[in-house]
Amino acid sequence: MSLQLITLIAIVVGPVSAVIIQLISERRRVVRDHQAATFRMLVSTRHLPGDPSYSTAINMIPVDFNSVESVMTAHANYIGSITFQPTPENMAAHENNVMTQQTKLVHEIAKHLGYELPETDIQSTAYAAGGFIQRDNLMLRAWEAWPRIADALEREVVKAPTEAVQQPAKPASKSRSAKAKK
């Protein structure tokens, strides 16, 4: 091969290779950023499964981690545990299994992203402000009360005697002739 041909190949291949490497690097960075965002959302709401952000994080796992087999297996196990309908007799065992599967899921994601987060710390270090928990519990009790309130209001409406709609009395107005007499 001549030196001119090698130089020409280097002139063409060098920049093309640089662009390809940069695109691959950028793609990996974007995927990692999405995975980290999902992980942060999941970790920050793991003790509040009723939080909409928690549901969003759980639903984003198949999108952001679809090529990570260990995370997808842990996700499938967690989904299986939360969709299981326990009986009153096995409710405690079921809740324990859900927590175990959630911990494994968070741990697998942390491990994939390179975070040193021991499984034992995942549940024991979860924090929610006491006031937030009280507010959330109050809101849940209020939501549970709405159907009872609606039923009570409907019963009261049915019990109330139906009264004829009365026309409001017209205020007495003084006529011009009455005013003139005074």
Side-chain angles (χ1 to χ4, degrees):
M1 244 191 219
S2 72
L3 186 57
Q4 291 175 343
L5 183 59
I6 293 174
T7 304
L8 182 62
I9 290 173
I11 289 172
V12 172
V13 172
V16 170
S17 297
V19 168
I20 291 172
I21 290 169
Q22 183 172 355
L23 290 173
I24 291 170
S25 175
E26 179 65 18
R27 170 76 177 135
R28 286 183 181 166
R29 186 190 64 75
V30 167
V31 167
R32 170 122 171 114
D33 288 349
H34 287 163
Q35 290 174 340
T38 298
F39 177 66
R40 283 187 171 92
M41 193 180 327
L42 182 63
V43 167
S44 67
T45 58
R46 70 188 182 274
H47 52 288
L48 300 168
D51 188 296
S53 295
Y54 181 79
S55 294
T56 299
I58 293 296
N59 288 325
M60 290 306 295
I61 289 170
V63 174
D64 293 336
F65 295 93
N66 61 24
S67 62
V68 184
E69 187 176 333
S70 62
V71 172
M72 293 308 298
T73 299
H75 180 264
N77 292 339
Y78 177 68
I79 295 298
S81 71
I82 61 174
T83 56
F84 175 76
Q85 295 297 316
T87 63
E89 295 81 32
N90 66 359
M91 181 63 78
H94 170 67
E95 288 175 1
N96 188 38
N97 183 46
V98 168
M99 294 304 287
T100 299
Q101 296 305 323
Q102 180 195 50
T103 300
K104 287 180 180 180
L105 175 60
V106 172
H107 180 69
E108 285 301 322
I109 294 172
K111 193 166 63 173
H112 170 73
L113 293 173
Y115 292 106
E116 297 287 330
L117 187 59
E119 276 189 71
T120 55
D121 291 351
I122 291 171
Q123 287 304 321
S124 64
T125 60
Y127 170 76
F132 180 79
I133 298 296
Q134 289 172 351
R135 184 194 74 184
D136 199 47
N137 288 336
L138 177 63
M139 185 172 51
L140 291 173
R141 286 192 307 274
W143 286 343
E144 289 170 352
W146 278 116
R148 293 190 311 273
I149 293 168
D151 289 342
L153 288 172
E154 285 176 358
R155 282 192 304 272
E156 288 302 312
V157 167
V158 169
K159 286 182 189 176
T162 50
E163 298 176 10
V165 177
Q166 297 177 357
Q167 296 293 331
K170 294 183 180 179
S173 64
K174 297 181 182 178
S175 66
R176 288 186 192 184
S177 61
K179 288 181 185 175
K181 291 181 185 177
K182 286 186 180 180

